[in-house]
Amino acid sequence: MMDVTEHYDPDFIYTDGTSDQPFSGNGTGTGFKANAMQIVIADFYNRSIQRRGMVNTFSIVKFRHNTNGTVNTEEFGIPEKINSKEPWIAETPVGDWFYAPDFTYNSGMMIKYIIEAIARDGNAAICISLLPDGSIILP
């Protein structure tokens, strides 16, 4: 991730995880613990300041409590009420988080999901999985 930040200057970075933060070692059963996420995020924001003169970027770190500059996620879900206390993104895949053959795309469901997230003061991220050859087939 630091290589991508260094060479491509992204506007945001997104991480998934299995515990309170990605790359912590928690929930893996290995017993190894690390602070890699803090190092990656610090590098990302420091490079943003160096290149842009300010932090006008953000990070999405799943399974983490609200932190300055970090956007929280609602995987497969949308809050029941308007959530304006913190930035958040609703996220869902079209089908699954990975390629699966013979999936029928439901555009109406995706549009409704996006509208519901925005109506509750959030954003929406839709995962469209690549085919095994790296291409995308749109219906």
Side-chain angles (χ1 to χ4, degrees), residues 41-118:
I41 297 298
D43 179 70
F44 173 60
Y45 289 130
N46 287 333
R47 287 185 188 280
S48 177
I49 290 170
Q50 290 171 349
R51 289 184 175 147
R52 303 171 185 210
M54 67 167 100
V55 175
N56 60 354
T57 58
F58 68 95
S59 61
I60 301 170
V61 182
K62 290 181 67 171
F63 307 114
R64 180 135 172 100
H65 298 287
N66 190 28
T67 309
N68 266 348
T70 303
V71 176
N72 290 318
T73 63
E74 293 277 345
E75 185 174 316
F76 293 114
I78 294 176
E80 184 178 324
K81 298 180 181 178
I82 294 173
N83 179 4
S84 59
K85 70 181 188 297
E86 62 187 5
W88 65 276
I89 295 177
E91 57 178 15
T92 193
V94 174
D96 214 328
W97 298 105
F98 52 86
Y99 168 74
D102 303 321
F103 177 77
T104 303
Y105 174 76
N106 183 337
S107 60
M109 190 272 297
M110 290 290 108
I111 292 168
K112 180 180 179 196
Y113 190 80
I114 293 167
I115 291 170
E116 291 288 341
I118 293 168

Side-chain angles (χ1 to χ4, degrees), residues 22-45:
F23 318 122
S24 68
N26 293 335
T28 64
T30 64
F32 296 109
K33 303 296 181 217
N35 66 346
M37 192 70 251
Q38 290 87 343
I39 293 169
V40 167
I41 297 298
D43 179 70
F44 173 60
Y45 289 130

